[in-house]
């Protein structure tokens, strides 16, 4: 009996010794990792300080990383939030079905509005093909012509100005005038107009990025060192979800087609979700509002009534496009860098929100507008250059809305270029308290309510109060105001 006890004690002591050795080894490994991380951070900090004065040397670095929501969906608590949104969509579908059965005695899913907004898709397709073929062939060919003639030319500046001016004229007529002509001449409905105009802006930004990255390298090299970009690289760039051109990007090893199908299915789900939100919560309220006498009480109540659906539209737009759509194309193209957004929902400042909401567009504005202007101004006038970037972004957003809705009502421009600029300087990165995160969300809710309310009122005012004659006052005055004057 004593021998058995001794063996048990010896076995337990050996087991405890192994556990202790394992714990010590893990502690030392963790300590080494922390030391290495601290040294790496210190080295990065020194390098950042060393290159602080030469901002032009910094470039966008692409790396293998997943989208933030894909990582968060691995946590059960975040999946539950996703399930709650799916449940809300189910409630909207059940509500619409029950109303149809009770009112009409049969199931009648009214999707006429959805089919109307995406009407004339054939016109959208051939317009897109024209824009794509031009962007694929003309800028690439112009770069090759410049690369072949520039080293042997006796007047390189004159040659560059001639090719650049000719390309600029082509850009204006094809990527500038053609989409505007199609949208206005064919009277495309809102969603179809959005597709054409957004693709116009995307191709303009893509072609500019390609030329901006390649032309300086082309002009600085001698003839023997010139290496023109490959056509396959440029073709890949036109489809991959980034606006920063590189000859190559980090690629994944294979395509997960189930992941592609899942993201496209979620995109369609968001589309129907947004349709049910507008159809259920907005259209019944705003349809007859333009016929009623105007009052401040009605305006304020309608703005707060539109706050909830406006917030839904904001979240659905983010999830549908910046997560589902871009991730689906990134997976099909094996594009490894999936950081299309950051944790903007945790922002305690509007400056951080603007940087993290849409990383794809922010990178283009930062590297090709902000940094280039800063370099031209010798690293001075940062506030003025930042204001210029805001005005450019606000103008493009307003341009898209004006052509897509076919009326000029600069609500988004005012919120972006006036209040957005003020909040950017007032609520800056120094604000770290959670209270500021609450304020960011509060202003986002109110801003979305204002946009949805005023744009909806103006849409129905355009229908119920058409202009009898074209006057300058009628064009610049919102119809929802002029009808009641």
């Amino acid at each position: 009996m004593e021998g058995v006890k001794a063996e048990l004690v010896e076995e337990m002591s050996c087991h405890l010794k192994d556990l202790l050795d394992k714990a010590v080894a893990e502690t030392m490994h963790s300590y080494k990792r922390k030391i290495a991380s601290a040294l790496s951070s210190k080295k990065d900090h020194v390098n950042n300080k060393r290159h602080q004065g030469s901002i032009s040397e910094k470039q966008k670095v692409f790396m293998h990383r997943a989208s933030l929501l894909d990582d968060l969906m691995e946590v059960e608590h975040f999946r539950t939030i996703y399930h709650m949104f799916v449940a809300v969509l189910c409630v909207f579908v059940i509500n619409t079905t029950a109303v149809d059965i009770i009112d009409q005695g049969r199931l009648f899913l009214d999707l006429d509005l959805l089919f109307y907004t995406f009407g004339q898709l054939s016109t959208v397709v051939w317009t897109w093909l024209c824009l794509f073929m031009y962007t694929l062939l003309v800028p690439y060919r112009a770069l090759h012509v410049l690369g072949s003639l520039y080293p042997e030319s006796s007047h390189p500046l004159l040659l560059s100005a001639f090719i650049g001016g000719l390309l600029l004229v082509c850009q204006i007529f094809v990527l500038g005038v053609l989409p505007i002509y199609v949208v206005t001449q064919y009277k495309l409905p809102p969603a179809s107009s959005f597709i054409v105009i957004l693709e116009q802006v995307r191709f303009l930004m893509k072609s500019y990025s390609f030329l901006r990255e390649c032309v300086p390298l082309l002009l600085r090299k001698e003839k023997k060192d010139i290496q023109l970009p490959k056509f396959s690289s440029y073709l890949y760039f036109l489809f991959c979800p980034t606006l920063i051109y590189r000859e190559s990007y980090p690629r994944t090893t294979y395509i997960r087609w189930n992941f592609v199908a899942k993201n496209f299915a979620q995109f369609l789900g968001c589309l129907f979700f947004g349709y049910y939100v507008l159809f259920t919560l907005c259209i019944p309220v705003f349809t007859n509002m333009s016929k009623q006498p105007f009052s401040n009480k009605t305006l304020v109540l309608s703005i707060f009534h539109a706050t909830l659906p406006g917030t839904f539209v904001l979240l659905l737009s983010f999830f549908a496009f910046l997560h589902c759509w871009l991730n689906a194309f990134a997976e099909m193209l094996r594009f490894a860098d999936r950081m299309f957004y950051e944790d903007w929902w945790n922002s305690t400042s509007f400056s951080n929100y603007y940087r993290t909401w849409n990383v794809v567009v922010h990178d283009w504005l930062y590297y090709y507008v902000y940094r280039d202007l800063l370099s031209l101004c010798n690293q001075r006038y940062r506030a003025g250059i930042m204001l210029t970037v805001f005005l450019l972004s606000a103008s493009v957003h307003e341009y898209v809305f004006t052509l897509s809705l076919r009326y000029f009502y600069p609500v988004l421009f005012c919120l972006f270029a006036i209040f957005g600029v003020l909040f950017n300087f007032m609520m800056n990165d120094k604000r770290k308290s959670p209270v500021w995160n609450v304020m960011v969300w509060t202003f986002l809710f109110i801003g979305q309510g204002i946009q949805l309310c005023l744009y909806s009122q103006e849409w129905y005012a355009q229908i119920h109060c058409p202009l009898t004659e074209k006057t300058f006052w009628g064009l610049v005055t919102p119809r929802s105001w002029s009808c009641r004057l």
Side-chain angles (χ1 to χ4, degrees):
M1 193 69 179
E2 294 294 333
V4 173
K5 289 183 178 179
E7 289 179 0
L8 289 174
V9 170
E10 184 178 358
E11 184 178 354
M12 290 180 63
S13 62
C14 292
H15 185 61
L16 289 174
K17 183 180 179 181
D18 292 339
L19 290 177
L20 182 61
D21 292 340
K22 185 177 180 181
V24 171
E26 290 181 352
T27 303
M28 293 299 296
H29 182 66
S30 176
Y31 177 75
K32 289 179 180 179
R33 281 190 304 174
K34 289 182 178 179
I35 294 297
S37 176
L39 291 175
S40 177
S41 300
K42 185 176 181 180
K43 182 179 179 181
D44 292 341
H45 178 69
V46 172
N47 290 334
N48 288 336
K49 290 188 68 177
R50 184 181 302 170
H51 297 289
Q52 188 175 7
S54 57
I55 190 173
S56 59
E57 296 180 3
K58 299 179 183 178
Q59 288 193 355
K60 167 77 174 180
V61 177
F62 293 91
M63 61 186 68
H64 194 296
R65 48 190 170 184
S67 291
L68 184 56
L69 284 182
D70 285 333
D71 291 335
L72 293 178
M73 286 298 177
E74 299 296 327
V75 181
E76 184 178 0
H77 302 291
F78 287 96
R79 286 201 307 270
T80 302
I81 299 176
Y82 171 78
H83 296 158
M84 292 169 62
F85 277 89
V86 176
V88 173
L89 174 60
C90 295
V91 170
F92 276 118
V93 175
I94 295 172
N95 174 68
T96 305
T97 304
V99 170
D100 289 339
I101 294 176
I102 294 173
D103 289 346
Q104 303 183 16
R106 62 188 179 89
L107 179 59
F108 179 73
L109 295 177
D110 188 5
L111 299 177
D112 292 342
L113 180 61
L114 185 63
F115 292 140
Y116 161 73
T117 54
F118 285 93
Q120 303 188 45
L121 286 181
S122 59
T123 305
V124 174
V125 170
W126 71 255
T127 305
W128 183 88
L129 287 175
C130 292
L131 298 178
F132 169 72
M133 294 304 298
Y134 167 83
T135 309
L136 177 65
L137 299 176
V138 176
Y140 184 81
R141 184 57 184 168
L143 183 69
H144 270 252
V145 171
L146 179 63
S148 60
L149 298 179
Y150 184 83
E152 301 177 353
S153 175
S154 57
H155 302 283
L157 294 179
L158 185 61
L159 175 67
S160 302
F162 175 75
I163 296 178
L166 188 61
L167 179 61
L168 179 61
V169 172
C170 295
Q171 294 279 95
I172 291 174
F173 277 97
V174 180
L175 290 183
V177 177
L178 178 61
I180 299 175
Y181 174 81
V182 171
V183 168
T184 55
Q185 186 69 21
Y186 289 87
K187 294 182 173 56
L188 296 183
S192 299
S193 299
F194 265 106
I195 295 173
V196 172
I197 301 303
L198 288 176
E199 284 299 284
Q200 174 198 23
V201 175
R202 185 176 74 92
F203 283 132
L204 281 170
M205 297 171 77
K206 289 263 189 179
S207 58
Y208 181 85
S209 174
F210 172 70
L211 296 172
R212 170 64 181 80
E213 294 288 344
C214 296
V215 170
L217 297 177
L218 192 69
L219 300 182
R220 283 202 299 263
K221 292 183 178 180
E222 299 179 357
K223 181 180 178 181
K224 60 180 180 180
D225 297 328
I226 290 178
Q227 185 177 1
L228 296 174
K230 298 178 181 179
F231 183 77
S232 58
S233 299
Y234 181 53
L235 177 62
Y236 180 86
F237 169 65
L238 290 182
F239 285 98
C240 70
T242 182
L243 296 173
I244 306 295
Y245 176 77
R246 293 289 184 270
E247 274 291 300
S248 61
Y249 301 91
R251 307 283 288 274
T252 57
T253 56
Y254 58 91
I255 301 175
R256 299 171 294 173
W257 289 107
N258 58 340
F259 182 80
V260 175
K262 175 186 175 182
N263 278 283
F264 277 130
Q266 290 180 139
F267 177 83
L268 292 176
C270 291
L271 184 64
F272 281 100
F273 202 156
Y275 170 75
Y276 281 117
V277 168
L278 296 176
F279 187 80
T280 306
L281 301 179
C282 294
I283 293 178
V285 176
F286 296 108
T287 301
N288 298 317
M289 183 170 291
S290 297
K291 300 178 181 179
Q292 301 173 359
F294 177 80
S295 65
N296 293 330
K297 177 182 177 181
T298 304
L299 178 62
V300 172
L301 290 178
S302 61
I303 288 176
F304 283 102
H305 182 87
T307 299
L308 180 60
T311 304
F312 269 110
V313 170
L314 174 70
L315 297 177
L316 290 172
S317 301
F318 157 75
F319 186 75
F321 181 72
L322 292 176
H323 181 74
C324 299
W325 186 264
L326 295 185
N327 267 293
F329 273 88
E331 186 67 29
M332 289 190 294
L333 296 170
R334 298 195 294 115
F335 186 79
D337 196 335
R338 312 288 174 86
M339 196 186 73
F340 310 125
Y341 55 87
E342 297 183 47
D343 57 337
W344 60 269
W345 48 85
N346 293 327
S347 298
T348 56
S349 65
F350 270 91
S351 56
N352 184 72
Y353 167 75
Y354 293 137
R355 288 194 302 269
T356 56
W357 159 260
N358 188 341
V359 174
V360 179
V361 175
H362 172 266
D363 286 343
W364 192 91
L365 290 172
Y366 175 74
Y367 287 102
Y368 298 142
V369 180
Y370 178 78
R371 267 189 20 177
D372 285 354
L373 289 178
L374 200 61
S375 178
L376 289 174
C377 296
N378 295 323
Q379 314 301 321
R380 296 179 298 174
Y381 313 116
R382 291 177 181 268
I385 294 173
M386 187 181 300
L387 179 61
T388 302
V389 174
F390 266 98
L391 292 176
L392 175 63
S393 180
S395 300
V396 173
H397 280 79
E398 189 58 41
Y399 165 78
V400 173
F401 269 75
T402 299
L403 283 180
S404 300
L405 301 176
R406 285 199 297 281
Y407 58 79
F408 179 68
Y409 197 18
V411 177
L412 180 61
F413 180 84
C414 293
L415 291 176
F416 204 141
I418 299 177
F419 295 100
V421 172
L422 292 177
F423 290 151
N424 179 71
F425 288 102
M426 293 172 56
M427 300 176 62
N428 49 42
D429 291 334
K430 297 179 181 180
R431 316 295 185 182
K432 299 298 182 181
S433 173
V435 176
W436 293 101
N437 181 247
V438 175
M439 293 184 64
V440 168
W441 275 104
T442 302
F443 288 129
L444 284 178
F445 288 166
I446 296 176
Q448 292 302 311
I450 292 174
Q451 291 183 55
L452 185 59
C453 171
L454 295 183
Y455 278 118
S456 298
Q457 286 189 12
E458 184 65 18
W459 174 266
Y460 286 106
Q462 296 279 330
I463 299 174
H464 298 146
C465 185
L467 285 178
T468 56
E469 58 181 13
K470 293 184 179 180
T471 61
F472 176 76
W473 176 256
L475 291 176
V476 300
T477 305
R479 202 74 54 84
S480 55
W481 297 359
S482 59
C483 288
R484 297 162 181 172
L485 295 177

